[in-house]
Amino acid sequence: MKKALKIIVNILAWIILIFALLVTVVVFSSARNNNVANLFGFIPLTVESDSMKPTFAKDDLIICREIDDINKLKKGDVITFWTIIDGKKVKNTHRIVDINIAENSRSFVTRGDNNNQNDTVPAYAGDLIGKWTEFKITGAGKPMDFLRTKKGFFICIIIPMALFFLFELYKFIIVLVEMKKPELTEDDEEEIRRKAIEEYLASQKENSEGDKKEDKAEDKPEDKPEEKAEEKDTQKAEK
């Protein structure tokens, strides 16, 4: 049972470490790439509106993939791209409803599944971020955003990693201590057994002597009240 528990603890520790490393890569990658993380070509994104309901909703975590060839994009694909909303450059994830082809350039007319009108500005090749892989985790966007903050990164990543390394250091020290312990020879083991037997016999002897003393104390007759009264009368008569 103890061994199984130890194995489970080790597995959980490694899972936490791997997760922490992945989040670390995502955080540093997004910091270098205009807040767009890229993990081996996959791009985790937090949905920021309900414009794509019921496909996915606000605060869901979706996974997009880099676009190698825009010519492979077609109507019905869901893409993430940069656009201007209320004077700010933001990320938007909508479905392609039409493709404009002019000479050697392409632009994509998009619309949210929950919207009645197309987006006013088409998405050009230079605006594209990725194509949705149709993978989502409901409600996981908020925790991911929290992990990207300094506070979240410290609490959820730095502290668990520090505890993991301290745990591994403790195990390493235990192994070193065990290695430094001298190995017992056959003579040493025989001496230990002999001393154990002697101590056992000595304790048995002490117990038996104690039992004998108790038996003697029980066998000693006690003076009866009648005999004590007769002795007192005799002493009075003699006086």
Side-chain angles (χ1 to χ4, degrees), residues 36-237:
V36 176
N38 191 319
L39 188 62
F40 309 113
F42 292 93
I43 304 168
L45 295 168
T46 300
V47 180
E48 298 179 0
S49 72
D50 288 327
S51 63
M52 281 295 291
K53 270 188 171 183
T55 307
F56 45 74
K58 184 180 179 180
D59 295 333
D60 287 352
L61 179 68
I62 61 173
I63 304 298
C64 295
R65 192 165 189 173
E66 288 181 338
I67 301 171
D68 297 327
D69 187 0
I70 64 170
N71 294 319
K72 293 181 180 179
L73 293 176
K74 59 187 183 299
K75 292 181 181 180
D77 289 341
V78 177
I79 58 173
T80 299
F81 53 94
W82 290 106
T83 189
I84 304 297
I85 299 177
D86 296 332
K88 295 181 180 179
K89 186 177 181 180
V90 295
K91 297 185 292 291
N92 199 9
T93 303
H94 281 174
R95 193 179 301 277
I96 297 174
V97 294
D98 199 3
I99 301 175
N100 297 324
I101 301 175
E103 296 181 357
N104 295 326
S105 65
R106 289 191 174 206
S107 62
F108 304 91
V109 180
T110 57
R111 183 174 64 206
D113 292 352
N114 196 30
N115 294 344
N116 296 323
Q117 296 180 347
N118 296 342
D119 297 330
T120 55
V121 180
Y124 294 93
D127 300 324
L128 300 181
I129 297 173
K131 175 186 173 183
W132 183 43
T133 61
E134 299 188 4
F135 178 83
K136 69 173 182 178
I137 303 176
T138 304
K142 276 291 183 182
M144 181 59 69
D145 286 344
F146 176 70
L147 290 174
R148 291 179 183 178
T149 64
K150 291 182 179 180
K151 182 179 179 181
F153 188 76
F154 180 77
I155 294 174
C156 301
I157 305 301
I158 298 298
I159 292 178
M161 288 181 69
L163 293 175
F164 173 82
F165 285 115
L166 288 174
F167 178 67
E168 291 298 319
L169 179 62
Y170 168 77
K171 291 198 302 182
F172 179 70
I173 293 172
I174 293 297
V175 171
L176 287 180
V177 171
E178 292 294 332
M179 290 176 62
K180 288 183 179 180
K181 285 183 178 180
E183 295 184 2
L184 296 176
T185 62
E186 292 183 0
D187 293 337
D188 294 334
E189 292 178 355
E190 184 65 30
E191 181 68 17
I192 291 172
R193 283 195 293 268
R194 186 183 63 79
K195 288 183 178 180
I197 293 171
E198 289 179 354
E199 290 176 358
Y200 174 76
L201 294 175
S203 64
Q204 291 295 320
K205 185 177 180 181
E206 290 177 359
N207 291 336
S208 62
E209 289 179 353
D211 293 340
K212 288 180 181 179
K213 289 179 180 179
E214 290 178 359
D215 293 341
K216 287 181 180 179
E218 290 175 358
D219 293 339
K220 185 177 180 181
E222 295 182 356
D223 295 334
K224 296 180 180 180
E226 295 83 359
E227 293 177 354
K228 288 182 179 180
E230 290 177 0
E231 288 180 2
K232 287 181 181 180
D233 295 338
T234 304
Q235 289 175 359
K236 286 181 181 179

Side-chain angles (χ1 to χ4, degrees), residues 1-17 163-164 167-168 170-171:
M1 182 66 182
K2 188 176 180 180
K3 188 176 180 180
L5 183 61
K6 187 177 180 181
I7 293 172
I8 293 172
V9 170
N10 286 332
I11 292 173
L12 289 175
W14 278 103
I15 290 174
I16 292 172
L17 177 65
L163 293 175
F164 173 82
F167 178 67
E168 291 298 319
Y170 168 77
K171 291 198 302 182

